[in-house]
Amino acid sequence: MTKASPFLVSVLLLLLFQLINGEDPYRFFTWNVTYGDIYPLGVKQQGILINGQFPGPQIDSVTNDNLIINVFNSLDEPFLLSWNGIMQRRNSWQDGVFGTNCPIPPGGNFTYNLQVKDQIGSFFYFPSLAFHKAAGGYGGIKVASRSVIPVPFSPPAGDYTVLAGDWFKQNHTDLKAILDNGHDLPFPDGLLINGRGSNGFTFNVDQGKTYRFRVSNVGLTTSINFRIQGHKLILVEVEGTHSLQNTYDSIDIHLGQSYSILVTTDQPPKDYYIIVSTRFTTPVLTTTSALHYSNAVSGLDDTPPGGPTTEIDWSLNQARSLRRNLTASGPRPNPQGSYHYGLINTTRTIRVVNSAPVIGGKQRYAVNSVSFVLPDTPLKLADYFKISGVFSLGSIQDGPSGGVNLQTAVMPADFRGYVEVVFENPEDTVQSWHVDGHHFFVVGMDGGQWSEASRTSYNLRDTISRVTVQVYPKSWTAVYMPLDNVGMWNVRSENWARQYLGQQFYLRVYSPANSWRDEAPIPNNVILCGRAVGHQP
């Protein structure tokens, strides 16, 4: 009889343990982060690769899967990955931003232990430190529904991830230096689709079938419009929520946002343009890929068709048309619509107002009169070890207070609170806001100044819930947000230059119970840095 290897025995024991205890499945990943030469716009650049790939490997998972991701940092500087839209239930320890995690040192590694708990949908990961996002290091995340949960559309013939966004020919170190010297970034040099410039990527399809496209805006500074020549787009999912299946000719996708779209290949057999173009910019940048029918009898046309350019009202009306599918199941058997968000009284109103101050002769960005300054120790560790002097609760108020100051801004919040957040944008550019660890219901948006009377226009029945929302120029957007996740959570601009120069803060959602029921314990493999060095986990 052949003797089983120790590794095989351990794997079998792990599987047996999971079966006996009903534990959710595990998926294991080993990633090596390196620099490498890339040529996305035809110019040699130093890119950040994961396992030699740009973009990085896609994470394919199913609701409630445990994702064990061992990241080796082979760069010559500290590095972190964050997971845009993954809720990190009870577990801000794994969020991968400097407010919660010490960086992975050069030559070191860290194993993220994530669970996509009670989630479905389309998301992405990205490097969160310095200005690494401008060098790549991003990739797609797909969270499929469990087989026992019905999905409100037939299985597609194919499932494609589209990571699109603006790109600069300058290396990320040069862009960071521009910001460090107090200047604005130049206009982007182009747009990418899955790491390539125009006509650099092809999506192969068969005529007469339906395909799912998961489209994310992974850019740094610019909203985009997505469209496919000659084809209608049926929206089916918005950042983890099944949407009402509206049909569009094109869809605006703002910084940090993700959408799932169904496309039926019902046109004559040829090649068609997949088009991404910038919104609200002059000039308009455009890039393309090809939708290639397997039985195509002709190639692409000479010129891709145009799309919307600077029209604000068009985009605002489209955003208002997004609705939750009240008859669809979510990641759990109960219908998504059973959560009657509009019938719950909010306990607090937080006004979030962006600004662009010049401080000490240098361009900064701020929220509620505070421009965020990185601490010397992650806020989560300082809070856990009770290290004084790293941050002060209440260093950012529930609204603008006049003047601007530099602070490590942390806003206190109570676990299981239910808050109204009003994002107010007095500037002439579109803003995009993301909240880690939470989803929110987009109840209203409009031009002008928000007031209490604006609540009469709120959608309190079937609005979409999501994790990233846009605010149009000189406009406001209001959301209802359940504070259902204890931890230290980043609230940030998804415009990466603005985030880097201070347009962010942290929301400390606190439970006095100090129970593992509310928050997971500090990980055994936690990296300590700053003033946390020497403390025992």
Side-chain angles (χ1 to χ4, degrees):
M1 181 176 178
T2 304
K3 186 177 180 180
S5 70
F7 175 76
L8 179 59
V9 171
S10 61
V11 169
L12 291 174
L13 287 174
L14 176 61
L15 292 173
L16 180 62
F17 177 80
Q18 291 181 27
L19 288 172
I20 293 172
N21 291 275
E23 191 171 2
D24 294 307
Y26 281 75
R27 296 177 188 261
F28 296 89
F29 306 84
T30 300
W31 289 354
N32 186 28
V33 181
T34 62
Y35 286 125
D37 292 340
I38 58 175
Y39 301 81
L41 292 177
V43 175
K44 180 180 176 179
Q45 294 178 252
Q46 184 187 61
I48 292 179
L49 314 180
I50 299 179
N51 291 352
Q53 302 175 39
F54 168 62
Q58 176 160 300
I59 294 176
D60 292 322
S61 62
V62 177
T63 300
N64 293 347
D65 279 357
N66 295 280
L67 309 179
I68 312 301
I69 307 168
N70 192 4
V71 178
F72 289 85
N73 178 16
S74 297
L75 307 181
D76 58 1
E77 56 185 321
F79 183 79
L80 273 177
L81 283 173
S82 191
W83 320 90
N84 208 71
I86 300 302
M87 290 293 103
Q88 311 288 5
R89 297 289 184 196
R90 304 170 47 250
N91 204 11
S92 65
W93 300 109
Q94 307 294 331
D95 202 29
V97 290
F98 189 76
T100 55
N101 294 93
C102 291
I104 306 170
N109 75 291
F110 178 73
T111 301
Y112 291 90
N113 189 341
L114 320 176
Q115 187 180 24
V116 286
K117 180 68 175 172
D118 293 334
Q119 278 195 268
I120 59 164
S122 311
F123 310 100
F124 63 92
Y125 61 86
F126 67 96
S128 63
L129 288 186
F131 216 61
H132 290 156
K133 192 178 180 185
Y138 54 74
I141 303 174
K142 179 175 73 174
V143 186
S145 295
R146 291 180 292 158
S147 59
V148 297
I149 305 298
V151 174
F153 49 88
S154 300
D159 194 320
Y160 290 117
T161 293
V162 179
L163 303 173
D166 55 21
W167 191 260
F168 296 80
K169 291 181 179 178
Q170 292 168 275
N171 282 351
H172 73 282
T173 51
D174 296 330
L175 296 175
K176 179 177 177 294
I178 291 172
L179 296 174
D180 289 339
N181 289 326
H183 303 296
D184 286 329
L185 292 181
F187 191 71
D189 293 298
L191 297 173
L192 303 185
I193 295 175
N194 290 352
R196 302 180 187 180
S198 278
N199 300 326
F201 205 90
T202 298
F203 297 87
N204 295 304
V205 296
D206 294 328
Q207 190 179 31
K209 296 183 179 179
T210 298
Y211 295 82
R212 182 172 184 168
F213 287 80
R214 301 172 185 264
V215 191
S216 296
N217 184 343
V218 296
L220 299 176
T221 65
T222 315
S223 299
I224 60 175
N225 180 266
F226 176 86
R227 55 197 182 273
I228 299 179
Q229 179 188 14
H231 293 74
K232 298 295 185 181
L233 312 179
I234 300 176
L235 185 65
V236 294
E237 178 249 327
V238 178
E239 297 167 8
T241 299
H242 289 308
S243 65
L244 199 64
Q245 295 180 14
N246 293 334
T247 300
Y248 301 96
D249 292 322
S250 68
I251 293 180
D252 279 354
I253 307 174
H254 303 277
L255 289 164
Q257 293 183 339
S258 299
Y259 292 89
S260 276
I261 297 157
L262 294 183
V263 178
T264 300
T265 52
D266 54 3
Q267 298 301 301
K270 62 182 294 291
D271 289 350
Y272 296 88
Y273 283 107
I274 296 175
I275 308 147
V276 173
S277 58
T278 56
R279 291 287 270 124
F280 323 119
T281 66
T282 304
V284 175
L285 299 176
T286 300
T287 194
T288 60
S289 288
L291 185 75
H292 172 68
Y293 279 42
S294 59
N295 59 340
V297 295
S298 60
L300 294 169
D301 298 336
D302 291 337
T303 305
T309 55
T310 60
E311 305 89 345
I312 296 289
D313 287 346
W314 184 97
S315 189
L316 174 63
N317 288 332
Q318 182 179 86
R320 286 170 167 164
S321 74
L322 303 184
R323 293 288 190 269
R324 171 181 291 259
N325 187 337
L326 296 180
T327 63
S329 292
R332 292 171 291 184
N334 59 303
Q336 294 186 37
S338 66
Y339 185 15
H340 299 297
Y341 68 92
L343 301 180
I344 302 171
N345 292 326
T346 56
T347 55
R348 177 181 175 187
T349 296
I350 301 170
R351 295 172 55 217
V352 174
V353 183
N354 51 271
S355 59
V358 174
I359 301 176
K362 293 185 176 183
Q363 180 67 65
R364 295 284 301 183
Y365 295 99
V367 52
N368 287 6
S369 310
V370 180
S371 186
F372 186 84
V373 177
L374 285 177
D376 59 10
T377 305
L379 306 173
K380 183 63 183 170
L381 293 178
D383 200 24
Y384 179 81
F385 292 122
K386 297 180 171 54
I387 302 171
S388 62
V390 176
F391 70 91
S392 297
L393 276 177
S395 46
I396 183 170
Q397 303 299 311
D398 286 9
S401 56
V404 179
N405 61 86
L406 299 170
Q407 288 274 353
T408 302
V410 180
M411 181 182 291
D414 295 329
F415 181 43
R416 296 201 175 98
Y418 190 66
V419 298
E420 175 189 42
V421 183
V422 182
F423 297 98
E424 300 180 40
N425 178 19
E427 299 183 64
D428 291 326
T429 57
V430 176
Q431 305 294 313
S432 189
W433 285 96
H434 177 89
V435 183
D436 279 352
H438 293 79
H439 68 99
F440 45 71
F441 301 90
V442 184
V443 294
M445 56 175 62
D446 206 350
Q449 180 71 41
W450 178 87
S451 69
E452 293 186 4
S454 303
R455 293 176 179 140
T456 60
S457 67
Y458 284 2
N459 176 359
L460 300 181
R461 181 178 179 272
D462 65 347
T463 193
I464 206 72
S465 64
R466 60 187 315 165
V467 297
T468 309
V469 72
Q470 73 273 24
V471 193
Y472 292 101
K474 299 189 182 304
S475 300
W476 57 267
T477 295
V479 307
Y480 283 178
M481 185 166 70
L483 300 177
D484 56 0
N485 205 5
V486 172
M488 187 75 73
W489 302 107
N490 191 220
V491 181
R492 62 175 177 266
S493 171
E494 286 285 338
N495 180 310
W496 218 240
R498 297 182 76 106
Q499 178 273 157
Y500 181 78
L501 291 179
Q503 196 169 304
Q504 61 173 308
F505 65 96
Y506 280 81
L507 188 69
R508 179 185 183 254
V509 180
Y510 176 71
S511 169
N514 193 26
S515 167
W516 288 5
R517 177 196 62 194
D518 296 337
E519 185 174 27
I522 187 170
N524 292 329
N525 67 333
V526 66
I527 299 174
L528 300 180
C529 59
R531 298 187 224 179
V533 171
H535 287 76
Q536 294 299 315

